[in-house]
Amino acid sequence: MIEMRKHIHKSLSTRLCIDILLVVVLVFSLSLGFLYWQSRYIIREEAIDEASHVLDNTALRVKGYMVEVETATRNILWLVNLHTFDQDSLLKYTHRIVANHPNTNGCSITMEPDFYPGDTYGFSAYSVRLEEYSTPEKDSVVTVREADYNYYDKVWYKVPRQKRTACWVDPFDDYNAGTLSSPDMIASYCIPLFNKQEKFIGVISTDLSLNRLTETITAEHPYDNSYFMMLGADGHYFVHPDTTKLLKQTIFTGVDPREHTDVVALGYEMTNGRTGHMEVKLDGKSHIVLYRPLEGTEWSVALVCPSSELLRGYNSLNYILLPLLVIGLLLLGLGCRRIVRHFVQPLGLLAAELRQIGHGDYEKRLPPSERTDLIGQLQNNFCQMRRSISQHIREAEKTKQETELRTTELEQATLLARQASEQKTQFMQDMSHQIRTPLNIVHGFSQVLRDDSRIMSDEDKRQIAETMYVQTNALDYMVSKLLTASLIETHQSISTDDTVCCSELAREAFDRTGSLITHTAEMSLDCRVPDGLTVKTNRHHLLIVLTELLFNALHFTSEGRVVVRVETAGNDLLFTIEDTGPGIPPDKADFIFEKFTKIDMFTEGLGLGLFLCRRVVQLMGGSLTLDSEYTGGSRFVVKLSL
């Protein structure tokens, strides 16, 4: 923080930017705040309007079911009057209402006591929809004459008798154990019956399942956490997500009027049949409650929406406006800083140039100014001085770089000369050793033959002659390799006009190598090509390559086997020399093909064999590779095109 204050105090452009930005931010914040508040009001009203439409549609659906029940009940009333209340007909009528109207739960036609002679307890025809009674042969509507019980105190009978007009009665539990009755809570539409003398004689009651009513009301939710509730005339809950409140609690239950005046006000609004919406705090959270009465009843239905859900669009606007506000302020700050810096740029550039010169940087050039005032003249004079200094510095740097380049070239030449000298010395030592060994053997055995030939057996003489023959062949092979190396360096290509039989060439290399070296490994030739298969190549050089590879395999394989394999792969001819020797480390796979190189400097050889083999094969248009996947020893593959 202290460093930032020092920077602001020292930077003229930053101080000007901050002063201008404070004024702009104030105006910008006031304008955006007004827009933000206005947007919240509009979004809230639109959300309430949408929820109100959902509530109206729900009320219409509920009213549709209720009108269906009312119409079905009224349509059966004239049939009841027509048949003068015949008991069998009353049973059929109740069954017809329930069977023909799937939204009804049950129907009863109940008569006053002593309406029928001998029926002291009265008569009640009752049909109910019970799924457990449903079978493939009959439907789920069961019709019976109810057993004698005191139904005169039931709400569905007592209320219409008192009102003497058709009405809906509040939902109730009419389940009686041991009798045919619905286990669901039901709401009933009741029509009182009168005789010609206008005397009350009974009630037609059609039931609507409260579960069905709840499904209808809760079928549509405009928001994730919104829910519906329905209250009766006294505030009892008929529909509510918390089923423990149904018919047992009212909206006023457990509510302190002094702390929850909004809930009390909502209850009075709904029980008085009014329409509207208000903000209420339920379960400690703010909710918008939209309410309206159900026409033809004393009930009221309400849609309860959490304020956070209702204003979700407004809250989403926060995530848009806040980043826009931050981005806008940043853009304003950047624009303001750019403008201010444009006016004070020459002074800043001069200060920066002086700092760079103080640190020894003379290369960066200050652009000339087109201004004619004092600052412009100062900038142009400084540019002229800077160019002069830079020119002298560049000339000095150029001289230094040329000197360093020549020094580097001399060092590299010296290093190469030293490496060449060391390589030549090593080669001469190897060469002397490789030639001296067979010469000593031949010289020693020749002395033995000269001095002791008389006392030696023919078998000893034969073995000495064989050893001398092998060593002279080795000398001849070594000299031939040196001659080949000297000649191959000047070649750009090798003639491949010879037509060579693949199997015969492999057999010749196989037999020739056995005569060059004394070995203990098992040798085998695996020829997987027809005897007549030929290839256009250079017979002499290919024979040298195969002989050298087989010679190396026998030389490094003291025990085990060496296999020469001839096969084809597509349009390519493959010569594979595989041994079970010590193998070649993966990090030396490319190193072994370089000139005058050996993995072990104490082993015999000039370090030319593999270099010559790869060079010769490449000049013939083929390739020589070490199979890195083979781990049983070494496997070299010569590939030529057929």
Side-chain angles (χ1 to χ4, degrees):
M1 184 62 68
I2 297 176
E3 295 296 328
M4 183 180 296
R5 290 179 180 177
K6 290 181 179 180
H7 173 72
I8 294 174
H9 182 73
K10 292 179 179 180
S11 175
L12 177 61
S13 60
T14 303
R15 292 173 62 186
L16 290 175
C17 287
I18 292 175
D19 293 339
I20 297 173
L21 191 60
L22 288 176
V23 177
V24 174
V25 167
L26 179 61
V27 176
F28 189 79
S29 300
L30 291 176
S31 302
L32 189 61
F34 175 77
L35 177 63
Y36 188 71
W37 175 83
Q38 191 67 18
S39 300
R40 182 182 187 279
Y41 174 78
I42 294 173
I43 292 174
R44 184 177 184 274
E45 291 301 315
E46 289 181 354
I48 291 176
D49 187 58
E50 179 184 355
S52 180
H53 285 305
V54 174
L55 179 62
D56 292 341
N57 293 336
T58 301
L60 288 176
R61 287 199 304 272
V62 174
K63 186 59 181 177
Y65 288 124
M66 297 175 69
V67 168
E68 180 182 349
V69 173
E70 294 173 5
T71 302
T73 307
R74 291 195 184 97
N75 289 341
I76 209 69
L77 180 61
W78 70 274
L79 290 174
V80 174
N81 293 327
L82 180 65
H83 290 82
T84 62
F85 306 104
D86 177 70
Q87 292 184 1
D88 292 335
S89 298
L90 297 182
L91 293 170
K92 294 178 181 179
Y93 298 153
T94 59
H95 186 279
R96 181 182 300 178
I97 289 177
V98 179
N100 294 340
H101 299 85
N103 291 323
T104 60
N105 190 64
C107 179
S108 65
I109 302 178
T110 307
M111 310 305 294
E112 281 280 88
D114 298 327
F115 179 79
Y116 296 105
D119 287 336
T120 307
Y121 291 96
F123 173 82
S124 178
Y126 180 53
S127 294
V128 65
R129 192 185 309 277
L130 298 174
E131 295 297 334
E132 61 268 23
Y133 286 88
S134 177
T135 64
E137 293 78 17
K138 66 177 183 177
D139 58 20
S140 60
V141 179
V142 180
T143 303
V144 297
R145 173 181 175 174
E146 291 193 271
D148 296 336
Y149 77 100
N150 186 13
Y151 54 77
Y152 309 108
D153 291 333
K154 298 294 184 180
V155 64
W156 54 267
Y157 190 88
K158 182 169 58 175
V159 171
R161 183 180 186 185
Q162 293 174 351
K163 291 185 175 182
R164 299 182 64 83
T165 184
C167 63
W168 280 92
V169 297
D170 291 348
F172 58 91
D173 184 1
D174 195 39
Y175 179 71
N176 294 304
T179 65
L180 182 65
S181 57
S182 173
D184 298 334
M185 292 185 180
I186 56 177
S188 298
Y189 179 71
C190 305
I191 300 179
L193 299 175
F194 302 95
N195 59 15
K196 295 180 180 181
Q197 292 76 29
E198 297 297 325
K199 180 181 178 182
F200 176 82
I201 59 174
V203 173
I204 300 178
S205 175
T206 305
D207 304 330
L208 178 64
S209 171
L210 190 59
N211 290 338
R212 178 67 172 173
L213 192 63
T214 302
E215 292 176 0
T216 303
I217 292 176
T218 59
E220 182 179 0
H221 289 277
Y223 304 102
D224 293 340
N225 296 316
S226 62
Y227 62 90
F228 285 91
M229 66 179 182
M230 189 171 72
L231 304 181
D234 57 354
H236 274 91
Y237 289 109
F238 294 162
V239 175
H240 195 276
D242 186 358
T243 56
T244 60
K245 296 181 178 181
L246 299 181
L247 302 181
K248 299 177 182 179
Q249 297 183 18
T250 70
I251 193 173
F252 307 106
T253 302
V255 176
D256 188 347
R258 292 173 296 182
E259 295 183 2
H260 302 285
T261 56
D262 50 353
V263 178
V264 175
L266 174 64
Y268 281 116
E269 287 283 311
M270 294 182 67
T271 54
N272 289 327
R274 294 174 183 152
T275 301
H277 68 272
M278 60 188 305
E279 187 169 354
V280 181
K281 198 167 187 179
L282 301 174
D283 299 327
K285 297 181 180 179
S286 177
H287 294 73
I288 303 296
V289 182
L290 298 91
Y291 52 89
R292 59 161 297 164
L294 287 175
E295 185 180 352
T297 69
E298 296 180 352
W299 308 337
S300 180
V301 63
L303 173 60
V304 182
C305 303
S307 298
S308 58
E309 294 287 338
L310 195 67
L311 297 177
R312 180 182 297 175
Y314 167 75
N315 295 330
S316 300
L317 188 62
N318 293 340
Y319 298 107
I320 299 174
L321 290 179
L322 290 178
L324 287 178
L325 176 62
V326 175
I327 294 173
L329 292 176
L330 289 176
L331 292 177
L332 284 174
L334 293 175
C336 179
R337 180 175 177 80
R338 184 172 183 180
I339 294 172
V340 172
R341 290 187 65 183
H342 174 72
F343 288 100
V344 300
Q345 183 180 16
L347 295 177
L349 291 175
L350 288 175
E353 291 290 319
L354 290 173
R355 284 195 299 270
Q356 290 176 354
I357 292 176
H359 289 88
D361 184 5
Y362 299 95
E363 290 301 323
K364 186 176 179 181
R365 293 184 177 180
L366 184 68
S369 175
E370 297 180 357
R371 299 172 59 173
T372 59
D373 56 6
L374 183 61
I375 294 179
Q377 295 176 13
L378 177 62
Q379 181 173 343
N380 292 330
N381 292 333
F382 182 84
C383 291
Q384 182 64 34
M385 180 189 68
R386 183 66 174 271
R387 282 194 294 269
S388 299
I389 296 176
S390 298
Q391 181 66 27
H392 291 295
I393 295 298
R394 280 197 299 272
E395 292 176 356
E397 287 291 334
K398 183 178 180 181
T399 303
K400 178 182 177 183
Q401 291 176 0
E402 291 176 353
T403 303
E404 291 178 350
L405 179 61
R406 290 189 178 91
T407 302
T408 302
E409 291 175 350
L410 289 174
E411 290 177 351
Q412 291 178 350
T414 303
L415 178 61
L416 291 176
R418 185 184 300 111
Q419 291 177 348
S421 177
E422 293 175 354
Q423 193 175 41
K424 181 183 70 174
T425 302
Q426 183 65 41
F427 172 72
M428 294 301 296
Q429 291 175 353
D430 288 344
M431 185 68 186
S432 300
H433 173 73
Q434 299 298 329
I435 293 177
R436 187 184 303 113
T437 299
L439 283 178
N440 289 337
I441 294 174
V442 172
H443 182 265
F445 278 121
S446 63
Q447 288 181 348
V448 171
L449 290 175
R450 186 191 63 184
D451 299 335
D452 302 327
S453 60
R454 296 177 181 178
I455 62 175
M456 295 178 63
S457 64
D458 293 339
E459 178 63 24
D460 291 338
K461 293 178 181 180
R462 189 192 63 78
Q463 290 180 356
I464 290 174
E466 180 69 22
T467 302
M468 294 175 67
Y469 175 75
V470 170
Q471 295 301 322
T472 55
N473 283 341
L475 284 171
D476 179 67
Y477 175 72
M478 191 179 306
V479 173
S480 176
K481 187 187 298 185
L482 288 173
L483 292 175
T484 302
S486 63
L487 294 175
I488 208 69
E489 284 293 313
T490 61
H491 283 61
Q492 298 299 321
S493 63
I494 294 178
S495 174
T496 56
D497 297 332
D498 298 338
T499 301
V500 179
C501 178
C502 303
S503 58
E504 291 180 0
L505 184 68
R507 169 60 64 182
E508 183 177 351
F510 184 84
D511 295 338
R512 181 180 179 183
T513 308
S515 65
L516 293 176
I517 184 172
T518 303
H519 60 86
T520 57
E522 176 186 352
M523 294 180 62
S524 62
L525 176 62
D526 182 9
C527 190
R528 301 181 181 180
V529 298
D531 292 338
L533 181 66
T534 61
V535 63
K536 296 288 289 183
T537 184
N538 189 298
R539 188 180 191 283
H540 172 71
H541 285 93
L542 182 58
L543 180 61
I544 291 176
V545 170
L546 297 179
T547 302
E548 174 65 20
L549 294 175
L550 189 56
F551 182 90
N552 285 345
L554 290 171
H555 179 73
F556 289 101
T557 305
S558 58
E559 295 181 358
R561 59 184 177 83
V562 176
V563 179
V564 180
R565 187 179 300 110
V566 187
E567 58 187 342
T568 58
N571 295 326
D572 296 325
L573 175 66
L574 304 180
F575 290 94
T576 303
I577 290 81
E578 176 184 301
D579 62 63
T580 58
I584 298 173
D587 58 336
K588 303 292 185 180
D590 293 328
F591 174 75
I592 59 173
F593 290 104
E594 295 181 5
K595 185 166 43 175
F596 302 123
T597 57
K598 297 189 294 183
I599 295 178
D600 186 357
M601 298 304 298
F602 297 100
T603 59
E604 295 183 359
L606 302 177
L608 286 172
L610 292 178
F611 164 74
L612 290 175
C613 290
R614 169 172 278 190
R615 178 64 177 164
V616 168
V617 173
Q618 289 175 345
L619 292 176
M620 292 191 297
S623 65
L624 171 60
T625 57
L626 173 65
D627 188 354
S628 60
E629 296 181 357
Y630 179 69
T631 58
S634 300
R635 177 188 291 164
F636 290 89
V637 180
V638 178
K639 180 189 292 185
L640 298 173
S641 299
L642 288 173

